[in-house]
Amino acid sequence: DSFQAEKVVESLQVLASEGKTVVCVIHQPSGTVFNMFEDLLLLSEGKMQYFGPTADVVNYFTRKGWKCPKGINAGEFCLNTVSVNYESSETEQDS
């Protein structure tokens, strides 16, 4: 659950503050957990879509033409933005 996820990320933040390198894979994080990460690497189809500060990712995609809808957290927005929709060849091409 998201409470436990927050506790895990807090523990990882302690390790990082001690100089340890921490690499995580996160799947559908809550907004709170997503915002706890300093840096973010987004991959889609094995290609880098974003690498930089987590706090800057929404502005980055906004500059590229994708606006984050109100009420959607940054993590969900990023997932929706970089995911490929394989339902049909048209949706795959559009995504």
Side-chain angles (χ1 to χ4, degrees):
D1 67 2
S2 71
F3 174 79
Q4 293 302 327
E6 284 182 48
K7 295 301 170 195
V8 169
V9 175
E10 285 174 1
S11 297
L12 296 174
Q13 287 176 322
V14 169
L15 291 172
S17 72
E18 294 171 349
K20 307 278 192 300
T21 299
V22 177
V23 177
C24 297
V25 176
I26 57 174
H27 299 277
Q28 298 180 323
S30 69
T32 301
V33 168
F34 183 82
N35 291 324
M36 292 172 76
F37 288 91
E38 290 181 19
D39 297 303
L40 178 66
L41 170 63
L42 291 175
L43 300 171
S44 180
E45 300 283 301
K47 296 178 183 164
M48 184 176 65
Q49 303 299 313
Y50 176 81
F51 178 63
T54 302
D56 294 343
V57 68
V58 171
N59 289 332
Y60 171 81
F61 283 118
T62 298
R63 288 191 308 272
K64 297 278 187 185
W66 292 286
K67 186 172 173 153
C68 184
K70 289 187 186 246
I72 302 295
N73 75 52
E76 184 177 354
F77 168 67
C78 290
L79 179 65
N80 292 340
T81 302
V82 303
S83 293
V84 177
N85 183 340
Y86 292 105
E87 290 181 8
S88 71
S89 58
E90 291 84 22
T91 60
E92 182 178 348
Q93 188 171 4
D94 289 342
S95 59

